[in-house]
């Protein structure tokens, strides 16, 4: 391995280490049930990559997470791709009406949700439900 390869690998490891604490987990079937059974509080984002409302929500969520590390210490952030899983079991079970729906879950309870809302204050209020 030459010096360039070592530098690239080292830099990649640092990037991954920095992202691990504040990253989103991409949904796969069974993930939500598994994490809830483990006692985690979940912030579940039903999004579509082409959705403008979803992008606005994401900007607010990411800014709030950057400002308050307690969100990442308290909640697991899961992104559910609407195009892939919008008609799936999870969306049906939670009665998710559309993309751009944000839901906070703990145990058997839904603590709150926002459907197509983009006000930063509303998103912060939702996220704060996961802190208590």
């Amino acid at each position: 391995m030459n010096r360039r390869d070592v530098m690239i690998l080292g830099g990649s490891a640092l990037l991954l280490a920095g992202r691990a604490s504040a990253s989103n987990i991409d949904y796969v079937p069974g993930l939500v049930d598994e994490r809830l059974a483990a006692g985690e509080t979940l912030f579940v984002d039903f999004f579509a990559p082409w959705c403008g409302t979803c992008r606005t929500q994401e900007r607010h969520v990411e800014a709030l997470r950057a400002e308050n590390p307690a969100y990442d210490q308290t909640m697991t952030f899961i992104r559910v791709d609407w195009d892939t899983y919008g008609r799936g079991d999870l969306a049906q079970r939670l009665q998710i009406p559309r993309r751009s729906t944000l839901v906070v879950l703990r145990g058997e309870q839904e603590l709150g949700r926002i459907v197509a809302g983009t006000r930063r204050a509303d998103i912060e209020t939702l996220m704060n439900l996961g802190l208590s």
Side-chain angles (χ1 to χ4, degrees):
M1 186 178 295
N2 64 34
R3 191 168 93 171
R4 185 178 137 245
D5 292 336
V6 170
M7 289 176 63
I8 290 171
L9 288 173
S12 297
L14 285 174
L15 282 173
L16 289 174
R19 290 184 62 211
S21 63
S23 63
N24 296 307
I25 299 172
D26 291 329
Y27 174 78
V28 293
L31 177 66
V32 167
D33 293 331
E34 173 186 308
R35 295 298 180 110
L36 288 172
E40 296 178 31
T41 299
L42 306 181
F43 184 93
V44 184
D45 176 1
F46 291 85
F47 81 102
W50 47 266
C51 170
T53 301
C54 301
R55 285 193 300 271
T56 300
Q57 289 175 330
E58 180 181 22
R59 281 193 301 274
H60 290 316
V61 169
E62 294 307 317
L64 290 163
R65 288 171 72 185
E67 293 167 14
N68 187 351
Y71 292 128
D72 286 314
Q73 295 165 357
T74 307
M75 288 186 284
T76 301
F77 289 79
I78 298 176
R79 295 193 61 187
V80 181
D81 187 321
W82 184 258
D83 293 335
T84 304
Y85 299 108
R87 289 187 168 88
D89 177 58
L90 179 66
Q92 289 180 9
R93 191 173 74 222
L94 295 177
Q95 298 177 350
I96 303 301
R98 57 172 288 162
R99 68 196 182 287
S100 67
T101 299
L102 308 172
V103 183
V104 176
L105 303 168
R106 181 182 301 133
E108 298 291 322
Q109 289 187 327
E110 178 179 313
L111 303 181
R113 76 168 56 193
I114 293 174
V115 178
T118 59
R119 289 190 57 236
R120 179 186 165 109
D122 294 340
I123 294 170
E124 183 175 21
T125 298
L126 178 68
M127 292 173 71
N128 286 340
L129 293 173
L131 295 179
S132 55

